[in-house]
Amino acid sequence: MNIHFDPVLRIFSISTDHSSYVFGINDKGILQHLYWGDPVAAADCAPLLGSRSHSSFDAALDREAEEYAYWGGLSYMEPSLKVRWHDGVRDLRLDYEGYAIEQQDGRETLTIMLKDEYYPLQARLIYTVFPGLDLIERSAVIDNCGSQDIVLENVQSAAWTMPVLPRHRLTHVTGKWSGEFQLRNTDLSEGKTVLESRRGFTDGHANPWFAIDGGNASEQSGQVWFGALAWSGNWKIVAEKTAFELVRVTGGINDFDSEWTLQPGHSFATPTFVGGYVSDGFGAMSRMLHRYQYEVVAPDRGLRKVLYNSWEATYFDVNVQDQMELAERASRLGVELFVIDDGWFGQRNHDHAGLGDWTVNSDKFPNGLGELIHKVRGLGMEFGIWVEPEAVNPDSDLYRSHPDWVYHFPTRSRTELRNQLVLNLSMPEVKSYILSFMSELLGQHDISFIKWDMNRTITEPGMHNHPLNRQKELWTRHVHSLYEIWAELREKFPHVAFETCAGGGSRIDFGMLRYADQAWPSDNTDAFDRLSIQEGFSYVYTPKLMTCWVTEEISGMNKRATSIAYRFHSAMTGTLGIGANLNHWSKDQLAEAAALVDQYKAIRPLVQEGRQYRLGMLKHKGVEAVQYVGSDGNGGEESVLFAFLHSQKLGDRLPRLLLQGLNPDKGYRIDGIDGVHSGQSLMRIGIELPLRGDFDSLMYHIREQ
Ligand code: GLA
């Protein structure tokens, strides 16, 4: 049993293998957070329980450490729940009512019931723990038990209270199109620091994840508290620090321009907010989150295939001949999945037209898609295809027939981004249009992979089909409908793998990843730029989910030239893909690429299923390095190291690189280096990196002897 309630002390404790999370019911009947960190005895937390105050202006400091802060009475911090009753009253008083503990499939769930002291509202706080993971999944369900509507003005998933630390350093990612997942950190000062999306989906500017440490945690050491939200629409994570040394991180659906009318007898369930604690650094945090994805969020569907995607090769200039030629070359390289990108449908010869018309373009494919699919299958590869179902070009048959199917305000012009508008997914006819063309596409063709794109944010958020006083539900309704569509398609077509993409790496979060098998992290395929994007991605998301393409020698983004080996090594640190125009590659280039694909296949289980270690010790020398450790399938250990040098300077030799994650008492052989090396020496004395010049790279396959 991981979850306990002490009825005398009125204290709940949630234990994982290496952490304790403790809260209690105080003398005011309020759920008060007490402790989160290395294991402790719950009873030892008893003295922490109770009300505190400082002055009449700071009269209920205990409410700052509330497990789920309701807005009402003396509560001035970021609330978790704020409602408006039918009679205009805007004040909540939630009393503790009871709890339940359930066990299922090794998981244990605690539900705490809170009830308003006057109005018919119940809040259920849900905590779930999983065997072997130092994580707690939290969410809330709000029930309207009465006969009048209740408006939820703000309903958050959970609030995480941090311990007192000398500093509270917040680590997060920021970015933009083609520059996603850039790591940042900042010390919290008194006030609020807000990470959020207001654009309709999780987007490249921020990702719904945070980590807090005392300012001294490193990759391999130090306490780190962290959390990530499973929501793919507008979300918000608020880290708030008070003058009384309290830091609370509240997260959930963004309350900006958002409301939900909870009708009598209905419930509203928030997305989950998973939180965790580790005592051994950011590397351990990431590996914990990776295991969570493998075991809970997206239980395994096997190794991801080496794919080819024709976007950068042909853009909109798609035709059956070129695609068949590309497919032939791709199959000779050892590619397992051939994906045709944008441009195969309607009048989609550029990004000004055709989006929404999901019928095969007969000029480009006179014999339908079947001809290309047949060819691809005959070459021993699977076939995948690009779609962008949530958007429409005004220059399309769909829009001409249904101009009212998009989000809009009647008195405003419709802002176009990439010449497109967003379909109103809350309309049943729109949802069934998407489901029916997708079902037809997947039902009538031998397709095993869908790249689902979304290339613009939401503007003019009006739903003409929805009551005027409930327009602010749009942001949430879009995501609910999207999840329902993906769930239905996954159920109907279980053999099809899905990739989430939104103008590059915009829609990647634990909400989407319940449905998606992999994610396109960025439209930037410059192999050097990708290293920092992929590093930021790896803080939260697994290498297996991360699709990486090898593209041309000169990157379109920065006009930087890199070798084939460098480009491959960069892309081999995740799920390998190729996106170059192979029809222009020479025999020698193709032969080198084929050998690298082979090498990838040999180390693929390590990259995609092993433990990942970021080796940042030579960053100051321009070296990025990442290592994966897993089992060799015969009871031994195996590892692979990738290292990249930006540019050598002043003839400097590089200091030795210390490896991680090996068994100190075992001996290892490294391909290309003589002798047997103990794990201890590899991790404490390290290895020399023969990297020279500009944009050099290496891959070492390391096997237990
Ligand atoms: C987005 C995606 C690209 C590609 C194009 C097609 O930008 O991120 O990978 O699919 O759309 O229009």
Side-chain angles (χ1 to χ4, degrees), residues 63 70-73 81-83 85 90-94 116 121:
R63 295 209 57 193
Y70 54 87
W71 190 72
L81 185 62
K82 181 174 187 305
V83 307
W85 308 107
R90 301 177 334 280
D91 186 85
L92 257 169
R93 300 287 160 104
L94 290 180
D116 187 85
L121 176 142

mmCIF file of all heavy atoms in Angstrom, residues 63 70-73 81-83 85 90-94 116 121:
data_model
loop_
_atom_site.group_PDB
_atom_site.id
_atom_site.type_symbol
_atom_site.label_atom_id
_atom_site.label_comp_id
_atom_site.label_asym_id
_atom_site.label_seq_id
_atom_site.Cartn_x
_atom_site.Cartn_y
_atom_site.Cartn_z
ATOM 1 N N ARG A 63 -3.636 28.853 4.052
ATOM 2 C CA ARG A 63 -4.300 28.670 2.762
ATOM 3 C C ARG A 63 -3.312 28.798 1.592
ATOM 4 O O ARG A 63 -3.628 28.431 0.472
ATOM 5 C CB ARG A 63 -5.471 29.653 2.607
ATOM 6 C CG ARG A 63 -6.568 29.355 3.638
ATOM 7 C CD ARG A 63 -7.928 29.748 3.163
ATOM 8 N NE ARG A 63 -8.294 29.126 1.920
ATOM 9 C CZ ARG A 63 -9.339 29.517 1.183
ATOM 10 N NH1 ARG A 63 -10.068 30.521 1.592
ATOM 11 N NH2 ARG A 63 -9.627 28.903 0.067
ATOM 12 N N TYR A 70 -9.476 26.844 -3.228
ATOM 13 C CA TYR A 70 -10.719 27.376 -3.788
ATOM 14 C C TYR A 70 -10.751 28.875 -3.540
ATOM 15 O O TYR A 70 -10.238 29.368 -2.529
ATOM 16 C CB TYR A 70 -11.936 26.692 -3.168
ATOM 17 C CG TYR A 70 -11.976 26.743 -1.667
ATOM 18 C CD1 TYR A 70 -12.538 27.826 -1.007
ATOM 19 C CD2 TYR A 70 -11.455 25.700 -0.905
ATOM 20 C CE1 TYR A 70 -12.578 27.881 0.370
ATOM 21 C CE2 TYR A 70 -11.486 25.744 0.471
ATOM 22 C CZ TYR A 70 -12.044 26.836 1.105
ATOM 23 O OH TYR A 70 -12.073 26.908 2.464
ATOM 24 N N TRP A 71 -11.337 29.613 -4.498
ATOM 25 C CA TRP A 71 -11.379 31.058 -4.360
ATOM 26 C C TRP A 71 -12.624 31.443 -3.571
ATOM 27 O O TRP A 71 -13.757 31.267 -4.026
ATOM 28 C CB TRP A 71 -11.389 31.753 -5.716
ATOM 29 C CG TRP A 71 -11.184 33.235 -5.574
ATOM 30 C CD1 TRP A 71 -10.024 33.861 -5.244
ATOM 31 C CD2 TRP A 71 -12.152 34.247 -5.735
ATOM 32 N NE1 TRP A 71 -10.214 35.219 -5.197
ATOM 33 C CE2 TRP A 71 -11.514 35.492 -5.495
ATOM 34 C CE3 TRP A 71 -13.515 34.257 -6.066
ATOM 35 C CZ2 TRP A 71 -12.181 36.709 -5.574
ATOM 36 C CZ3 TRP A 71 -14.179 35.477 -6.146
ATOM 37 C CH2 TRP A 71 -13.515 36.686 -5.900
ATOM 38 N N GLY A 72 -12.384 31.937 -2.368
ATOM 39 C CA GLY A 72 -13.470 32.310 -1.483
ATOM 40 C C GLY A 72 -12.860 32.554 -0.125
ATOM 41 O O GLY A 72 -11.817 31.982 0.202
ATOM 42 N N GLY A 73 -13.473 33.434 0.650
ATOM 43 C CA GLY A 73 -12.910 33.742 1.958
ATOM 44 C C GLY A 73 -11.519 34.321 1.799
ATOM 45 O O GLY A 73 -11.213 35.015 0.833
ATOM 46 N N LEU A 81 -9.710 26.611 -8.055
ATOM 47 C CA LEU A 81 -11.111 26.565 -8.460
ATOM 48 C C LEU A 81 -11.793 27.891 -8.124
ATOM 49 O O LEU A 81 -11.685 28.384 -6.996
ATOM 50 C CB LEU A 81 -11.825 25.405 -7.737
ATOM 51 C CG LEU A 81 -13.273 25.139 -8.142
ATOM 52 C CD1 LEU A 81 -13.375 24.753 -9.611
ATOM 53 C CD2 LEU A 81 -13.870 24.012 -7.283
ATOM 54 N N LYS A 82 -12.477 28.416 -9.143
ATOM 55 C CA LYS A 82 -13.205 29.683 -8.949
ATOM 56 C C LYS A 82 -14.521 29.523 -9.687
ATOM 57 O O LYS A 82 -14.516 29.169 -10.872
ATOM 58 C CB LYS A 82 -12.386 30.830 -9.542
ATOM 59 C CG LYS A 82 -12.999 32.199 -9.395
ATOM 60 C CD LYS A 82 -12.022 33.267 -9.892
ATOM 61 C CE LYS A 82 -12.507 34.677 -9.628
ATOM 62 N NZ LYS A 82 -13.829 34.963 -10.166
ATOM 63 N N VAL A 83 -15.644 29.754 -8.984
ATOM 64 C CA VAL A 83 -16.941 29.517 -9.631
ATOM 65 C C VAL A 83 -17.868 30.721 -9.466
ATOM 66 O O VAL A 83 -17.659 31.583 -8.616
ATOM 67 C CB VAL A 83 -17.656 28.252 -9.064
ATOM 68 C CG1 VAL A 83 -16.742 27.045 -9.124
ATOM 69 C CG2 VAL A 83 -18.184 28.497 -7.674
ATOM 70 N N TRP A 85 -22.032 31.169 -9.029
ATOM 71 C CA TRP A 85 -23.294 30.445 -8.832
ATOM 72 C C TRP A 85 -24.415 31.136 -9.610
ATOM 73 O O TRP A 85 -24.281 32.291 -10.007
ATOM 74 C CB TRP A 85 -23.661 30.386 -7.342
ATOM 75 C CG TRP A 85 -22.548 29.870 -6.466
ATOM 76 C CD1 TRP A 85 -21.788 30.596 -5.609
ATOM 77 C CD2 TRP A 85 -22.076 28.528 -6.373
ATOM 78 N NE1 TRP A 85 -20.863 29.801 -4.983
ATOM 79 C CE2 TRP A 85 -21.023 28.518 -5.431
ATOM 80 C CE3 TRP A 85 -22.421 27.321 -6.979
ATOM 81 C CZ2 TRP A 85 -20.321 27.373 -5.082
ATOM 82 C CZ3 TRP A 85 -21.734 26.173 -6.636
ATOM 83 C CH2 TRP A 85 -20.702 26.197 -5.704
ATOM 84 N N ARG A 90 -20.070 34.758 -5.954
ATOM 85 C CA ARG A 90 -18.795 34.241 -6.455
ATOM 86 C C ARG A 90 -17.900 33.955 -5.262
ATOM 87 O O ARG A 90 -16.995 34.697 -4.953
ATOM 88 C CB ARG A 90 -18.122 35.261 -7.382
ATOM 89 C CG ARG A 90 -18.966 35.639 -8.576
ATOM 90 C CD ARG A 90 -18.335 36.703 -9.454
ATOM 91 N NE ARG A 90 -17.411 37.602 -8.819
ATOM 92 C CZ ARG A 90 -17.743 38.658 -8.092
ATOM 93 N NH1 ARG A 90 -19.014 38.951 -7.891
ATOM 94 N NH2 ARG A 90 -16.818 39.430 -7.594
ATOM 95 N N ASP A 91 -18.180 32.905 -4.558
ATOM 96 C CA ASP A 91 -17.406 32.578 -3.364
ATOM 97 C C ASP A 91 -17.605 31.100 -3.084
ATOM 98 O O ASP A 91 -18.731 30.601 -3.130
ATOM 99 C CB ASP A 91 -17.929 33.408 -2.176
ATOM 100 C CG ASP A 91 -17.073 33.235 -0.943
ATOM 101 O OD1 ASP A 91 -16.057 33.938 -0.820
ATOM 102 O OD2 ASP A 91 -17.409 32.367 -0.109
ATOM 103 N N LEU A 92 -16.517 30.416 -2.833
ATOM 104 C CA LEU A 92 -16.585 28.974 -2.576
ATOM 105 C C LEU A 92 -16.174 28.704 -1.137
ATOM 106 O O LEU A 92 -15.296 29.398 -0.605
ATOM 107 C CB LEU A 92 -15.584 28.260 -3.478
ATOM 108 C CG LEU A 92 -16.011 27.517 -4.718
ATOM 109 C CD1 LEU A 92 -14.770 27.158 -5.527
ATOM 110 C CD2 LEU A 92 -16.767 26.240 -4.385
ATOM 111 N N ARG A 93 -16.739 27.696 -0.529
ATOM 112 C CA ARG A 93 -16.290 27.226 0.793
ATOM 113 C C ARG A 93 -16.279 25.721 0.723
ATOM 114 O O ARG A 93 -17.336 25.091 0.831
ATOM 115 C CB ARG A 93 -17.261 27.638 1.907
ATOM 116 C CG ARG A 93 -17.478 29.118 2.094
ATOM 117 C CD ARG A 93 -16.262 29.774 2.727
ATOM 118 N NE ARG A 93 -16.303 31.207 2.455
ATOM 119 C CZ ARG A 93 -16.642 32.131 3.359
ATOM 120 N NH1 ARG A 93 -16.957 31.777 4.576
ATOM 121 N NH2 ARG A 93 -16.643 33.405 3.034
ATOM 122 N N LEU A 94 -15.126 25.140 0.468
ATOM 123 C CA LEU A 94 -15.071 23.685 0.318
ATOM 124 C C LEU A 94 -14.643 23.026 1.623
ATOM 125 O O LEU A 94 -13.571 23.316 2.153
ATOM 126 C CB LEU A 94 -14.087 23.310 -0.794
ATOM 127 C CG LEU A 94 -14.499 23.649 -2.227
ATOM 128 C CD1 LEU A 94 -13.422 23.212 -3.213
ATOM 129 C CD2 LEU A 94 -15.829 22.989 -2.593
ATOM 130 N N ASP A 116 -19.053 22.041 -1.139
ATOM 131 C CA ASP A 116 -19.338 23.412 -0.718
ATOM 132 C C ASP A 116 -20.311 23.366 0.459
ATOM 133 O O ASP A 116 -21.210 22.514 0.505
ATOM 134 C CB ASP A 116 -19.951 24.233 -1.862
ATOM 135 C CG ASP A 116 -20.084 25.689 -1.466
ATOM 136 O OD1 ASP A 116 -19.091 26.421 -1.618
ATOM 137 O OD2 ASP A 116 -21.162 26.083 -0.953
ATOM 138 N N LEU A 121 -22.170 21.621 -4.908
ATOM 139 C CA LEU A 121 -20.985 21.333 -5.723
ATOM 140 C C LEU A 121 -20.060 20.404 -4.946
ATOM 141 O O LEU A 121 -19.808 20.610 -3.751
ATOM 142 C CB LEU A 121 -20.247 22.629 -6.062
ATOM 143 C CG LEU A 121 -18.929 22.466 -6.828
ATOM 144 C CD1 LEU A 121 -18.770 23.574 -7.867
ATOM 145 C CD2 LEU A 121 -17.721 22.449 -5.911
#
